[in-house]
Every structure is written in structure tokens, then in C-alpha cells.
Amino acid sequence: MELSQRVDAAVDRALSQARIVGTVVIVWRNGVPVYERAAGFADREAGRAVALDTVFRFASVTKPFVAATALAMIDHDRLSLAGRVSDYLDWFHPPGPDGRMADITIRQLLTHTAGLTYKLDTGDLPEHEAVTAGLENTEMTLEENFSKLNTVPLSYKPGTAWEYSIAIDILGAVVAQVHGGTVEEAIRAYILEPLGIRDTGFVVDDPARLAVPYVNDTPEPRPMGEPERVAGPYDNVYCFSPARIFNRHAFQSGGGGMAGTAGDVIRLLEMIRKGGDGVLKPETVAAAIANQIGRLNVRPGVKFGFLGAVTEDAALDNSPLPDGTVSWGGVYGNRWCYDPASGTVAVAMTNTAPEGCDGAYPFEIWQAIFDR
């Protein structure tokens, strides 16, 4: 079968089995669109179909936009990979596991080796002092929220382990501080405006284009509540707040607070594929898509660069992605990938959690794209 037939079959199967409600899948190879499809419902109850320009809540698809912003600022000598976070943010200085002041670097934020974690409700803090991640609604600022961690020891000494974490939220605070504005203003200046991206941001003004989020249930996904707690892999529990995307007072979460279109993500990935396209230096892009964590592992066969996971041994990871592919996702139901060898950039956006991110659907889409 041709690529389009294989991807169509994967999309149709997921929809017919009621594993997802709506999706946009876009695939480009060497700058040429080879597949684009919108299918299912953006709002099932209202009968509103998904369109190619439907806006989805990004969750962690926000991260590569923030990481690319930091890399651009490094290219402009406004940041340094070796720079200490405490030199940029005087309000963020969590102690190390030994109780002494720990030096966290920009490199460690980018690579999730900073000693931070996403396990923010472990009982280390009283309930009224709990720290929120970027999915939950809040009125707090970045400083009000994350400065609470100054009394909580890091999970490990920075640079000695890999753990997915709030590191990119802290990186967002850094780029905002250095730029002299908000997180979004920094991203807009360095990434969104140069790439002509207009639909991505931390607040949605046009609900008519926004996909309703759904959570997997039996016999079919149901609309998310406000809030909605969803069990994820590795004993994680995600606390979603769909209303957050309308709240201008919530801190701008570099780890998961943006919304945008599949086409916006493709533009970002195309910039990477083209070696920076005037936004980043070619050598910066080369470093961003390579292993930056040395002997540490995300999991067997998978490393991490500056933008996402790097597949080093697809067979060991039981992955349909080719070796060398950079990829990541967002827990609202999204996945993206870039394969340098074939020049393929691809995005599979859905409005269904956790299937669209952690379920079989993205695996099946990658399998269809790469015919593996």
C-alpha cells in the first residue's frame, strides 16, 4: 500500500474503534507535503468536524517551542548552555539532595537532567503550598508557583540522571526574564514571528476553532471534566484543566501551556529539517537533534537531545521510528517526529487522552508512515 493508504487505514481504525474522537495528521518529506488529513470531530456533541486548522491544546508539544527559543537566544549570545539558572532567576534555588545549594545549568534544563521532576504532589509540601504543573488552572505567577520548590530537595544531583520534569517550565521563566517580557513574547520574537506562525499561543481567543478535549472511556471517549484526573503510564496521574487555555492570569507554562495547529508544529519541525532556516545556526540544530545525555537513557534504546527524545536503537525500544529520529508528544493527545535520514517531519494531533499520546494510535501512525 502507498503511504496515504496506510495512514488512512490507521486513522480510520482508531476512529471506528472509538479510541480517538478527532485527529489531524500531516506528513512532509524533504519539504514536500505527502499526507494531510483532518478526520473525526473537534466537538462531537455539537457535530463540529475537525479541520486542518483546528487548534489543539499542545501540552508538552509546547516544550520544543520553548527549547528552540532558548537555543536561538544562545545563538544570539543572550544565554549560555553552561549558564547557571540561579544567575538568571534569583527566585529559583532549590537545594540538592544533600541539602546544599545545587547549581542547575541551562543545558540540564534542556535535557531534563536538572534534578527536577513532575512528581509535585508527593507530600513534600503542605496542600496549601502545592506546586502546579502546566496543565492545571491557577492564578499564580511562575515565581509564586515554582519558588515553593526552594524548600524541597532535588530528586538527584544535577547531571547524574534523566527524569522528565518541569525543567522546561523553568527554562520558560529564564527566557522570559532574559528577553524582558512574557514567555510568549520571547517565543514570538525568536520562533513564531520568524516562521510565520500565528495560531500558537498560551491563550485561545476563538473557541470556535478549538478542539474539545476528551478522555478515553467505555464505550467511547467522553468530554473532559473541569478538572479531570487521568491515569497515565509509569504510575503518573495527569490533572487536566481544559479551562486553563482561556485564563490570561495563569502562568505561561513552557512545559505544557500552549495551543496551536498541526501546521504550526510542522513549521517548527521544517525549520529544524532545513538546518535552522535562519532561525537557528546549523551547528545548533545538529546538536539539538543528537544525544545530549551521554550514557544516561530515557529508556533502553532512547536518548535525549535539546528538543526531544532521540531513537538510537529502534529495535531495543520496540519502536516503528527509524534510528536517529527525534520525537516527543503531548499528553492531551499529540505526537510529533523528525527523521533526518528520510527528511520526514510528521505530526499526529488528537483531542483524546491518553490514547493520542500514550496509546496505540501514534505507534500505528508512525508504523504507517515509515512502513515498519
Side-chain angles (χ1 to χ4, degrees), residues 150-174:
N150 292 335
T151 62
V152 181
L154 297 174
S155 293
Y156 54 88
K157 181 181 177 182
T160 64
W162 186 92
E163 183 173 1
Y164 196 44
S165 70
I166 60 164
I168 309 302
D169 281 288
I170 305 304
L171 184 64
V174 170

Side-chain angles (χ1 to χ4, degrees), residues 54-79:
T54 289
V55 172
F56 294 88
R57 292 165 175 84
F58 275 175
S60 288
V61 176
T62 305
K63 287 181 171 71
F65 285 89
V66 177
T69 301
L71 294 173
M73 296 179 84
I74 290 168
D75 283 351
H76 285 82
D77 295 322
R78 300 201 66 190
L79 273 180

Side-chain angles (χ1 to χ4, degrees), residues 6 97 113 289 361:
R6 296 194 303 268
T113 59
I289 62 175
Y361 180 66

Side-chain angles (χ1 to χ4, degrees), residues 186-257:
I187 300 170
R188 193 160 298 284
Y190 285 93
I191 302 298
L192 303 183
E193 288 183 357
L195 295 179
I197 293 174
R198 297 179 177 85
D199 289 326
T200 288
F202 286 97
V203 176
V204 167
D205 292 318
D206 185 4
R209 289 184 55 198
L210 180 66
V212 171
Y214 293 83
V215 60
N216 289 108
D217 204 347
T218 303
E220 64 179 10
R222 57 177 172 77
M224 277 190 184
E226 181 63 46
E228 181 76 55
R229 297 180 70 84
V230 179
Y234 313 114
D235 297 321
N236 289 326
V237 176
Y238 303 108
C239 185
F240 294 92
S241 179
R244 181 188 174 119
I245 200 64
F246 306 114
N247 182 1
R248 295 184 179 277
H249 302 290
F251 68 82
Q252 294 182 345
S253 166

Side-chain angles (χ1 to χ4, degrees), residues 300-302 311-323 372:
V302 180
T311 298
E312 285 203 336
D313 188 333
L316 190 60
D317 189 39
N318 189 32
S319 170
L321 294 172
D323 290 352
R372 293 164 71 91

